[in-house]
Amino acid sequence: MLSADVLSLFERFAIGRTYGDREQIQARGERKAGLSIVRSGAVRVGNYGRDGQYFLTRLLVPGDTFGEFTLFADLPRTHNAEAFGETVVDQIPLSDFNMMVQEYPEIKDYLLSALAQNLHIALETLDDVRRQPIIVRVAKVLLSYVHKHKIDMNIPITQTMMSETLGVSRLSVHNALKEFQKMNILERKYGAVFIKDYDALVEWIANHEELASL
């Protein structure tokens, strides 16, 4: 997530647009180069299968960016992005982005560092899919929301969103959350999960991961 100072700088070069709930922001395969920054609301990033099933990859919140690959590698968009509730997204076209980094070259380093962190998360997630049981993956998703978005222990995520993110059934997510509730580690709420004992969750993951810690 970008700092308040960087976000303020971006607003000088960006064009803000408001999207309604589920309105498309970008489509998989688009080659239009530019940087997008979530100003308010949230953005669902994912793809649809041939059968129409949706697979959620990430839920972006204010301060998150997307589109960096189109800027640095001239690559097409890999995912669909749509608004989750009313959402404002700041758009910086390639020409304006180049002007910005000429005036503030440190911005490029900032974004490349963020890309490296996201790549690290992606590789960890890919390995989890291959090695970790569903209950461990559910726990790590909850922990990642706390770490990445620096939110409090009340995580605004539904069981459906978690099942879409992990590519598993909603029942599997429900059963995993139920086990953690029995251990008094978390509490299930309407549209959210509240982590009651953060340290216990971290310890549980360390004791149940199939891989040794770094």
Side-chain angles (χ1 to χ4, degrees):
M1 295 177 64
L2 302 174
S3 68
D5 290 340
V6 175
L7 285 173
S8 178
L9 174 62
F10 278 2
E11 288 179 0
R12 288 181 47 198
F13 296 87
I15 301 172
R17 178 176 171 182
T18 301
Y19 295 87
D21 185 36
R22 300 302 174 95
E23 185 177 352
Q24 187 178 72
I25 299 169
Q26 72 176 37
R28 172 177 167 81
E30 285 184 358
R31 301 200 68 96
K32 184 178 179 181
L35 182 69
S36 301
I37 309 101
V38 183
R39 187 195 301 178
S40 64
V43 174
R44 295 200 322 165
V45 177
N47 284 319
Y48 292 90
R50 291 186 181 275
D51 60 355
Q53 183 179 359
Y54 183 74
F55 296 90
L56 178 69
T57 300
R58 293 177 63 196
L59 182 69
L60 306 179
V61 298
D64 278 333
T65 63
F66 55 102
E68 292 91 342
F69 290 126
T70 69
L71 296 172
F72 298 127
D74 191 28
L75 292 172
R77 307 274 174 166
T78 59
H79 292 76
N80 297 290
E82 59 185 37
F84 187 66
E86 185 172 295
T87 299
V88 178
V89 177
D90 289 331
Q91 310 278 4
I92 304 180
L94 176 60
S95 57
D96 292 335
F97 177 80
N98 289 334
M99 290 174 54
M100 181 175 66
V101 296
Q102 284 182 358
E103 187 173 352
Y104 301 97
E106 64 272 16
I107 291 297
K108 184 175 287 188
D109 292 336
Y110 198 109
L111 290 174
L112 288 174
S113 175
L115 272 176
Q117 293 179 46
N118 287 331
L119 177 59
H120 182 271
I121 293 171
L123 291 173
E124 283 280 313
T125 301
L126 178 61
D127 197 71
D128 284 349
V129 170
R130 298 176 61 191
R131 300 175 186 269
Q132 304 294 355
I134 291 174
I135 189 169
V136 172
R137 292 167 60 196
V138 167
K140 293 183 74 171
V141 164
L142 294 175
L143 208 60
S144 71
Y145 268 85
V146 175
H147 290 169
K148 184 178 188 303
H149 301 302
K150 296 180 174 58
I151 59 179
D152 59 21
M153 299 302 146
N154 194 55
I155 304 170
I157 187 170
T158 65
Q159 294 182 31
T160 298
M161 290 165 60
M162 291 186 69
S163 68
E164 291 174 345
T165 300
L166 296 170
V168 300
S169 69
R170 188 177 181 278
L171 179 60
S172 297
V173 172
H174 171 82
N175 290 337
L177 294 176
K178 187 176 179 181
E179 287 300 312
F180 287 122
Q181 186 161 333
K182 287 180 181 178
M183 290 182 272
N184 206 33
I185 291 177
L186 59 77
E187 178 183 347
R188 291 173 293 172
K189 294 184 175 182
Y190 180 75
V193 175
F194 177 68
I195 299 178
K196 299 174 66 175
D197 194 332
Y198 172 86
D199 292 335
L201 181 61
V202 172
E203 183 179 358
W204 187 94
I205 293 173
N207 291 334
H208 291 82
E209 277 192 302
E210 294 296 326
L211 291 172
S213 299
L214 297 175

